[in-house]
Amino acid sequence: MNESFKALADPTRRQIIRLLREKDRTAGEIADFFNMSKPSISHHLNALKHADLVQDERKGQFIMYSLNTTVLEEVLGWLLELTGTGKQTETESKSLDGKQQHQDIDSKKEAD
């Protein structure tokens, strides 16, 4: 998930995510929205691909880029948990329950 946050830290990459939310696009279509070179756009797309936020698929002579919504949902779920508005995974819930039980035992020992 660290790679996802690193990729999303850049405003150009966040804008690319917004564009791909609307529809799948080629690198050229994405580049049309920016005032930068195509190699720079390619660099940003590679960073998003490395973070697994974007997928690419060759269609004829073009490469179409699309969002990997699974990874985006994972990042969003983590952020929602952090703010207390999301739900915890079963593993996290068990881990927290175990910590709470440990704290309860420690508190009981201190009271005795």
Side-chain angles (χ1 to χ4, degrees), residues 10 16 20 30 41 47 72 95 111:
D10 186 278
I16 291 171
L20 292 175
I30 293 168
I41 292 296
L72 285 172
S95 174

Short mmCIF file of all heavy atoms in Angstrom, two decimals, residues 10 16 20 30 41 47 72 95 111:
data_model
loop_
_atom_site.label_atom_id
_atom_site.label_comp_id
_atom_site.label_asym_id
_atom_site.label_seq_id
_atom_site.Cartn_x
_atom_site.Cartn_y
_atom_site.Cartn_z
N ASP A 10 1.38 12.64 -5.85
CA ASP A 10 1.63 13.59 -6.94
C ASP A 10 0.31 14.08 -7.54
O ASP A 10 -0.54 13.27 -7.91
CB ASP A 10 2.47 12.89 -8.02
CG ASP A 10 2.88 13.83 -9.11
OD1 ASP A 10 2.06 14.09 -10.02
OD2 ASP A 10 4.01 14.34 -9.05
N ILE A 16 -4.70 12.10 -13.34
CA ILE A 16 -4.80 10.95 -14.26
C ILE A 16 -5.83 9.96 -13.73
O ILE A 16 -6.66 9.43 -14.49
CB ILE A 16 -3.42 10.28 -14.46
CG1 ILE A 16 -2.50 11.22 -15.25
CG2 ILE A 16 -3.56 8.93 -15.16
CD1 ILE A 16 -1.05 10.76 -15.34
N LEU A 20 -9.19 8.67 -15.66
CA LEU A 20 -9.47 7.25 -15.89
C LEU A 20 -10.74 6.80 -15.18
O LEU A 20 -11.32 5.78 -15.54
CB LEU A 20 -8.27 6.40 -15.49
CG LEU A 20 -7.04 6.58 -16.37
CD1 LEU A 20 -5.86 5.79 -15.83
CD2 LEU A 20 -7.33 6.20 -17.81
N ILE A 30 -4.65 10.89 -22.56
CA ILE A 30 -4.33 11.43 -21.23
C ILE A 30 -3.44 12.66 -21.39
O ILE A 30 -3.66 13.69 -20.76
CB ILE A 30 -3.67 10.35 -20.35
CG1 ILE A 30 -4.69 9.24 -20.04
CG2 ILE A 30 -3.12 10.96 -19.07
CD1 ILE A 30 -4.09 7.99 -19.43
N ILE A 41 4.28 12.13 -19.16
CA ILE A 41 3.02 11.42 -18.89
C ILE A 41 3.30 9.93 -18.75
O ILE A 41 2.77 9.26 -17.86
CB ILE A 41 1.98 11.68 -20.02
CG1 ILE A 41 1.54 13.14 -20.00
CG2 ILE A 41 0.78 10.74 -19.90
CD1 ILE A 41 0.80 13.57 -18.74
N ALA A 47 4.50 5.00 -12.91
CA ALA A 47 4.44 5.04 -11.44
C ALA A 47 3.08 4.51 -10.95
O ALA A 47 3.02 3.76 -9.97
CB ALA A 47 4.66 6.47 -10.94
N LEU A 72 -7.64 0.64 -5.41
CA LEU A 72 -8.22 1.90 -4.94
C LEU A 72 -9.19 1.66 -3.78
O LEU A 72 -9.22 2.41 -2.81
CB LEU A 72 -8.92 2.63 -6.08
CG LEU A 72 -7.99 3.31 -7.07
CD1 LEU A 72 -8.80 3.84 -8.26
CD2 LEU A 72 -7.22 4.43 -6.42
N SER A 95 -7.33 -8.91 16.06
CA SER A 95 -6.12 -8.36 16.65
C SER A 95 -6.47 -7.32 17.71
O SER A 95 -5.90 -7.32 18.80
CB SER A 95 -5.25 -7.72 15.56
OG SER A 95 -4.15 -7.07 16.14
N ALA A 111 -5.53 -3.90 39.74
CA ALA A 111 -6.55 -3.62 40.75
C ALA A 111 -6.39 -4.56 41.95
O ALA A 111 -6.73 -4.20 43.08
CB ALA A 111 -7.94 -3.78 40.14
#
